[in-house]
Amino acid sequence: MLIAALSLGTVVLWATDRLSGYAVPEARLALDTAVAVVAAIVAVLAAVRFLVGGRALDLLLSAGFLAAGVGAFVFEVIPTFGAAGASAADVWGWVGASLVATVLIAAAPFSDRRFTHRRRALTISCVLVVIVLAAMGAIIEGFNAIPGSTVDGAAIGEHLAPAYALLAFLTLAAAIGFGLRYRRHTGDLDSWLALALTLVVFADLHYILAPGGVSDDLLQGDFLRLLSYAVLLVGVWRAISQAEFGRAVADERARVAEEIHDGLAQYLFAISTHVSMLESGASLEKTLPKLKAAATAAQHEARYAVLALASAGGTTPFGAALRRYIEVLTADGELEVSLEIDRAVALAPDEQIELFRIVQEGLANARKHAGARRAWVSIALRSGRRVVTVRDDGVGFEGEEAGGGQGLKSMRRRTAAIEGGFELTSSPERGTAIEIVLRAA
């Protein structure tokens, strides 16, 4: 549908002779500046995504958009402030930078390599791009074969038409590559890139068909180019969010694995030890209760780990996972827990992961250390801020040492990881209350 609409629009504009530019130098300068800035932002976001995942695809995208951003700024924006305007060398420099950028972007969907030394690879790629652009600019300046010091005639358009045809071909290859990649992997970023590159293909086509080619005027293709960068900005930002969530999930799963090793593995070792004692002729009356207690504890630890992994992986909604955890925790009747979750409270993925573990730690402390009979968990809005509260009716304490300092340190660390505020209130025989004020939504 997009291709059909753009094709129809291009034919109509060409047939009605409306592909010529608008003599609005200020608007052209603003558009070129916006393109340079957005290209630089996309390059930075792609670089961040590369540092998270280490994929060659993101490295090539970062280098490609860096070339596009630097090229637009050096060869389009800066010459505008000169007295003579844009020279032929500036125009060819911009086209050359666009070719370098397009080649890198077109190679991205066909690259599946992963890098181990990510910062080094990113630094080298950025340095190489800058060196190539600088060398290309020097060569074009030295061999400026096109007569005239300004760009305002049809002759320059005739010379540039083959270059724009090559740009359109390379961009089309990139769009097809990301489209095929999206069909294989259904990656969100691939779909956004295919959409944006389709817009760029038609922008290059407008440059070829426009009378006089590139000029100081604002062309129809310039609007499509700016729109394509806006689409890219949205797509890369969404991809960054997903990559950060994926890293948070991986980190949480690593923590759960460590807790399984420290908790569940110990109970399984105890079970194995008691079984060995029975085989060695130990008293059944003394060993069997210990064996049963270790098996029950191991069962509970396994359930807790499964629920934490389900919440961290996004396979179970946060509220459902938390309620299921509380059901398992209170199944033996030792602790009664009331849970209230305001549906108006929206939690980010990283907040869900950390809050699940904070609530788990708080209730475990209430059960194991405070001797509490009742506990209350609340996730609600207060004066426009999202507030999470865990409190109990246990014995309370003065200072962190008496109340399981490591557990509280873990909760503070998790709260800091999601940029929240942590407050602890406790006193002997009056229970303990933990309040977490989340960052502004």
Side-chain angles (χ1 to χ4, degrees), residues 170-232:
L170 291 172
T171 307
L172 179 62
I176 293 174
F178 280 108
L180 294 175
R181 187 180 180 88
Y182 176 72
R183 290 188 62 183
R184 292 195 306 268
H185 306 293
T186 64
D188 190 45
L189 178 60
D190 296 331
S191 64
W192 287 93
L193 282 165
L195 175 63
L197 291 168
T198 302
L199 293 171
V200 176
V201 170
F202 281 90
D204 293 335
L205 183 59
H206 282 203
Y207 294 145
I208 297 173
L209 298 176
V214 177
S215 69
D216 290 332
D217 295 340
L218 190 63
L219 303 178
Q220 302 286 355
D222 293 327
F223 293 107
L224 288 178
R225 188 158 61 109
L226 181 61
L227 179 60
S228 70
Y229 276 102
V231 171
L232 280 171

Side-chain angles (χ1 to χ4, degrees), residues 339-360:
L339 174 64
E340 294 183 4
I341 300 178
D342 189 342
R343 294 184 178 181
V345 177
L347 298 175
D350 60 332
E351 292 174 335
Q352 295 181 21
I353 293 172
E354 300 296 352
L355 287 178
F356 185 92
R357 305 301 283 174
I358 289 171
V359 172
Q360 183 181 18

Side-chain angles (χ1 to χ4, degrees), residues 298-382:
Q299 184 182 27
H300 286 167
E301 285 291 332
R303 288 178 177 176
Y304 300 159
V306 168
L307 287 169
L309 285 171
S311 176
T315 56
T316 301
F318 173 76
L322 191 56
R323 287 187 175 89
R324 179 57 183 151
Y325 164 72
I326 291 175
E327 289 177 3
V328 173
L329 180 69
T330 59
D332 58 3
E334 293 293 326
L335 180 67
E336 180 181 348
V337 179
S338 298
L339 174 64
E340 294 183 4
I341 300 178
D342 189 342
R343 294 184 178 181
V345 177
L347 298 175
D350 60 332
E351 292 174 335
Q352 295 181 21
I353 293 172
E354 300 296 352
L355 287 178
F356 185 92
R357 305 301 283 174
I358 289 171
V359 172
Q360 183 181 18
E361 185 71 41
L363 293 179
N365 284 346
R367 179 187 173 99
K368 296 178 181 179
H369 304 294
R373 298 297 301 169
R374 293 202 62 187
W376 297 264
V377 178
S378 171
I379 302 176
L381 290 174
R382 184 190 304 167

Side-chain angles (χ1 to χ4, degrees), residues 92 125 409 415 440:
W92 281 107
S125 67
K409 289 179 181 178
T415 302

Side-chain angles (χ1 to χ4, degrees), residues 238-257:
R238 284 169 55 90
I240 286 291
S241 301
Q242 293 179 356
E244 289 293 341
F245 176 48
R247 184 169 63 174
V249 169
D251 292 343
E252 176 61 14
R253 285 177 171 170
R255 283 195 293 266
V256 172

